[in-house]
Amino acid sequence: SSRVLKRQCFQRPATRVRGALLYPDTIPFSLIPLAVLAESAELNGDEGRAVAFRRSEALLRSLDRRVQGVAELRGLPCLGEHSRRVIQDVLDNGESSEVEETKSSSRYKAMKVLTGIFGVGVKTAKRWFTEGICSLAQLETSGHTLNPAQQAGLKYYADLNQPVTRDEADAISVTVEEAVCSVLPGAQVTLAGGFRRGKTSGHDVDFLITHPDEGKEEGLVHKVTACLESRGVLLYHQTTRNTYQESPEGAGRSRSNMDRFERCFSILKLVQEQAKDQDPVQVEADQTDSGCRPWRAVRVDLVVSPISQFAFALLGWTGSKLFEREMRRWAVHEKSMSLSSHALYDNNQKRYLTASSEEEIFAHLGLEYVSPSGRNA
Ligand code: GTP
Ligand code: MN
Ligand code: MN
């Protein structure tokens, strides 16, 4: 089965025709039946179930033929009994009753609205839902004290729930590059996340920053945010310093998915093109009306990596989350290695394997290289 997993998850060409019967290109991702069930499981805090649905959903997306009946799915990995039943339902009836019920349940709807607030996770949303809070209005009148992230999340709710386009990501890239290079000439800024995988929209814009002289990148995030702030485009930021040196993961024993890079979760102000020449006073006055102000808020992640860990950081921050998960599983189960966004440790040789490119990491793992656009699992 490891052979099959490898074939299914890593060796597929970049572009595939979707299983058309289930996934016509016109269907938004959120309406894909198995993705709804995965999301619902996530919102219930059931990680195991969520991953199972995510894997079946990714497998279906990777098929190079139309699926006409479940019999065609025989022998494929990652497709459990439950997923097959849902697919059968969709094929027979055009929709799955379980999916439709999930989508219309008040719990699912409320959890989606509440976790749609930046800074609100499943645990918090669950607690609020149990108290009868189902909408933003109810949250606002509930008297709950929100932390700074959640306050910003509520303030810019509409903007942050509107997908970021590729053009907007490019415009943000210019702003970030200008800021980074003005505080540290020679620093390199790389677009990571979904946009590096070729996605045309995303929920945020992810940047990985490094400098060819190791050490020069230390403390960079603070300088960059100070610069962005002085330019009036920093709406919110929360900075975390690098803690890797204090307690490196050792042989990848850390179970947490979080890495230890210096980073900043931020919200930036993206001034829309046609509005750039406008009187700044007018721009300020428009702030209260999110509908017609000439800028929008965009979630931006800045991650700073020392050059020696850059290839691992780039691989880790390019995603997708499911692809990363499968790759780390492959490393552990097939190669007895521990892969993180910082390093690759060989448990047999008891040493770290270095890499200066993503290609070298795939080679260490005995895998064919997969370009970013092939990592949209
Ligand atoms: P959208 O932003 O929704 O369009 O998709 P995305 O794939 O860009 O997702 P996201 O911005 O959430 O994350 C980008 C990549 O960074 C994913 O592969 C994540 O696994 C990874 N990532 C996000 N947060 C962390 C973290 O704290 N640690 C590590 N190691 N990786 C992270
Ligand atoms: Mn992203
Ligand atoms: Mn991100």
Side-chain angles (χ1 to χ4, degrees), residues 53-68:
F53 281 126
R54 289 259 174 248
R55 297 181 89 211
S56 343
E57 186 268 321
L59 177 98
L60 279 186
R61 256 189 304 134
S62 78
L63 295 177
D64 52 3
R65 58 175 189 275
R66 283 160 189 265
V67 177
Q68 314 278 0

Side-chain angles (χ1 to χ4, degrees), residues 245-291:
Q245 291 315 322
E246 292 161 24
S247 60
E249 312 139 300
R253 271 183 290 269
S254 151
R255 306 256 332 160
S256 156
N257 181 40
M258 293 295 277
D259 60 49
R260 292 150 182 278
F261 290 117
E262 180 179 311
R263 77 170 89 197
C264 175
F265 295 134
S266 72
I267 300 176
L268 297 193
K269 182 177 189 171
L270 173 64
V271 178
Q272 263 116 22
E273 268 313 312
Q274 60 274 30
K276 269 190 180 150
D277 302 328
Q278 230 171 310
D279 178 3
V281 177
Q282 184 58 39
V283 172
E284 284 304 314
D286 282 346
Q287 267 188 17
T288 46
D289 185 356
S290 72

Side-chain angles (χ1 to χ4, degrees), residues 54-246:
R54 289 259 174 248
R55 297 181 89 211
S56 343
E57 186 268 321
L59 177 98
L60 279 186
R61 256 189 304 134
S62 78
L63 295 177
D64 52 3
R65 58 175 189 275
R66 283 160 189 265
V67 177
Q68 314 278 0
V70 271
E72 295 168 34
L73 305 175
R74 211 171 284 146
L76 292 178
C78 310
L79 279 178
E81 206 37 56
H82 197 153
S83 295
R84 284 169 200 270
R85 211 161 56 232
V86 172
I87 297 163
Q88 178 84 65
D89 222 11
V90 174
L91 289 169
D92 292 350
N93 312 312
E95 61 177 38
S96 145
S97 50
E98 185 185 0
V99 171
E100 296 313 306
E101 274 161 33
T102 301
K103 279 196 286 192
S104 57
S105 77
S106 58
R107 183 195 173 88
Y108 175 78
K109 285 194 274 194
M111 287 295 287
K112 258 189 92 95
V113 169
L114 297 176
T115 56
I117 305 169
F118 169 65
V120 177
V122 168
K123 258 174 75 180
T124 304
K126 235 180 187 170
R127 200 175 64 236
W128 289 344
F129 178 70
T130 343
E131 293 168 16
I133 298 169
C134 295
S135 67
L136 300 184
Q138 283 169 339
L139 176 62
E140 277 175 315
T141 55
S142 69
H144 278 292
T145 313
L146 304 181
N147 68 33
Q150 295 162 345
Q151 287 172 27
L154 207 50
K155 187 169 177 187
Y156 303 114
Y157 186 84
D159 278 6
L160 300 186
N161 279 280
Q162 180 194 331
V164 182
T165 65
R166 177 73 212 205
D167 284 349
E168 288 171 334
D170 289 339
I172 288 282
S173 297
V174 172
T175 305
V176 169
E177 266 163 33
E178 276 174 7
V180 170
C181 292
S182 82
V183 297
L184 182 64
Q188 293 159 7
V189 179
T190 307
L191 184 63
F195 287 109
R196 180 161 184 258
R197 303 196 306 274
K199 278 181 42 174
T200 52
S201 70
H203 98 283
D204 69 355
V205 195
D206 307 283
F207 294 99
L208 192 57
I209 306 166
T210 191
H211 191 283
D213 300 335
E214 183 123 354
K216 284 234 168 102
E217 81 291 343
E218 276 172 38
L220 185 56
V221 155
H222 282 289
K223 294 176 200 157
V224 173
T225 50
C227 175
L228 292 168
E229 186 137 50
S230 74
R231 293 180 186 190
V233 294
L234 190 64
L235 296 171
Y236 167 85
H237 71 115
Q238 183 182 28
T239 300
T240 315
R241 66 200 174 85
N242 186 320
T243 55
Y244 188 65
Q245 291 315 322
E246 292 161 24

